[in-house]
């Protein structure tokens, strides 16, 4: 725990130094820019389906940026998820960034803190890839890989398949999380761009737990897989 806090403090100081240097790094040909994207803000069509969101933002220059990412889900007072990440990002190739920083799982309780090392970019055939390795305060490790691609049906009508997989190096009994492959999430969303910056959408979302995590869910009387129709909006500015 002491080593984790020391490493986390060092990383936080490095991020603060990077933010400070950003204020001096700009030039006329590399201005300071910012971006905010509401990737998903959606609700299931059934009354008891959860409301979920995914938002990310950055500020910086062409090569170096500070990112904030957050995602969450709310179904009721007992079933909530909320995650926040603060990251320093450096471009290592055209369309590819390496990222490092901190993640906090605020919900469910108890909260968890993680160090983050990952990559994000655009692969051939326009696949958006987001891969991350996490190291937790109690020696936990985790891997997350997300992939999505946009298919243009028309200039305004766009179909987006999405896929995410999570795996953990050791179990976390307090959060009912087993080791190994824990869950897979897949979705298909059809959006209509009213403007380039705003689009409502409808879609279907599917998720399934695996391995020890699924066994824990079955033992507690919970569901192992779930699918739902969703409607929501996406926007950026």
């Amino acid at each position: 725990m002491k080593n984790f806090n020391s490493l986390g403090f060092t990383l936080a100081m490095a991020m603060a130094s990077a933010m400070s240097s950003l204020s001096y790094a700009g030039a006329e040909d590399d201005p300071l820019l910012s971006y905010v994207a509401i990737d998903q803000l959606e609700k299931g069509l059934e009354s008891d389906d959860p409301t979920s969101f995914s938002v990310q933002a950055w500020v910086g220059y062409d090569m170096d940026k500070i990112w904030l990412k957050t995602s969450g889900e709310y179904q009721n007072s007992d079933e909530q998820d909320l995650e926040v990440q603060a990251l320093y990002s450096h471009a290592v190739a055209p369309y590819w960034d390496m990222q490092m920083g901190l993640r906090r799982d605020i919900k469910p309780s108890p909260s968890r803190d993680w160090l983050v090392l990952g990559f994000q970019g655009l692969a051939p055939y326009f696949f958006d890839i987001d891969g991350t390795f996490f190291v937790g305060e109690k020696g936990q490790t985790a891997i997350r890989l997300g992939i999505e691609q946009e298919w243009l049906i028309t200039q305004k009508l766009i179909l987006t398949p999405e896929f995410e997989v999570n795996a953990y190096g050791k179990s976390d009994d307090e959060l009912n999380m087993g080791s190994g492959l824990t869950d897979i999430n897949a979705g298909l969303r059809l959006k209509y761009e009213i403007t380039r910056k705003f689009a409502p959408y409808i879609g279907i979302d599917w998720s399934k737990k695996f391995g020890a995590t699924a066994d824990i869910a079955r033992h507690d009387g919970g569901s192992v897989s779930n699918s739902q129709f969703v409607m929501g909006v996406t926007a950026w500015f």
Side-chain angles (χ1 to χ4, degrees), residues 4-44:
F4 179 89
N5 289 338
S6 177
L7 185 55
F9 177 78
T10 301
L11 185 54
M13 292 299 293
M15 291 177 64
S17 176
M19 290 183 68
S20 177
S21 66
L22 285 179
S23 63
Y24 298 99
E28 292 184 1
D29 60 346
D30 189 14
L32 180 66
L33 301 174
S34 62
Y35 173 81
V36 178
I38 303 171
D39 293 325
Q40 292 177 5
L41 178 59
E42 64 186 33
K43 174 73 171 68

Side-chain angles (χ1 to χ4, degrees), residues 21-234:
S21 66
L22 285 179
S23 63
Y24 298 99
E28 292 184 1
D29 60 346
D30 189 14
L32 180 66
L33 301 174
S34 62
Y35 173 81
V36 178
I38 303 171
D39 293 325
Q40 292 177 5
L41 178 59
E42 64 186 33
K43 174 73 171 68
L45 298 186
E46 300 293 333
S47 59
D48 58 346
D49 285 341
T51 299
S52 59
F53 70 90
S54 177
V55 179
Q56 56 182 339
W58 58 257
V59 59
Y61 296 96
D62 187 40
M63 297 294 293
D64 299 283
K65 299 177 178 69
I66 297 297
W67 282 76
L68 290 176
K69 300 181 181 182
T70 182
S71 60
E73 183 176 283
Y74 179 87
Q75 187 163 3
N76 54 57
S77 58
D78 296 323
E79 296 185 58
Q80 302 178 55
D81 288 285
L82 180 58
E83 173 188 307
V84 178
Q85 295 185 37
L87 307 171
Y88 166 70
S89 178
H90 179 72
V92 294
Y95 308 111
W96 287 97
D97 291 350
M98 292 296 296
Q99 299 181 330
M100 63 178 181
L102 303 171
R103 161 188 160 190
R104 164 156 282 204
D105 297 340
I106 300 173
K107 293 288 185 178
S109 296
S111 62
R112 292 285 185 261
D113 293 311
W114 306 78
L115 299 179
V116 181
L117 179 63
F119 61 89
Q120 181 172 315
L122 189 64
Y125 302 102
F126 301 101
F127 283 98
D128 281 310
I129 309 292
D130 192 345
T132 316
F133 176 69
F134 304 100
V135 179
E137 58 189 313
K138 295 184 178 180
Q140 310 102 317
T141 56
I143 295 175
R144 175 184 297 164
L145 177 64
I147 303 173
E148 69 175 58
Q149 187 184 44
E150 291 190 340
W151 299 344
L152 269 67
I153 299 174
T154 69
Q155 288 299 313
K156 289 183 173 291
L157 198 61
I158 301 170
L159 186 65
T160 305
E162 304 168 0
F163 175 84
E164 181 182 283
V165 58
N166 291 278
Y168 285 76
K170 60 188 292 188
S171 61
D172 189 332
D173 296 335
E174 292 181 297
L175 297 178
N176 296 326
M177 191 76 67
S179 60
L181 177 64
T182 57
D183 62 273
I184 291 177
N185 301 273
L188 191 64
R189 290 167 173 81
L190 180 66
K191 67 180 180 181
Y192 180 81
E193 289 189 340
I194 296 176
T195 71
R196 287 291 297 167
K197 295 184 177 183
F198 180 81
Y201 63 82
I202 57 172
I204 184 170
D205 197 63
W206 172 86
S207 62
K208 184 174 182 179
K209 299 174 182 177
F210 291 88
T213 303
D215 293 338
I216 294 171
R218 293 189 189 98
H219 181 268
D220 293 342
S223 61
V224 173
S225 63
N226 179 61
S227 60
Q228 62 178 354
F229 289 99
V230 298
M231 60 185 303
V233 296
T234 180

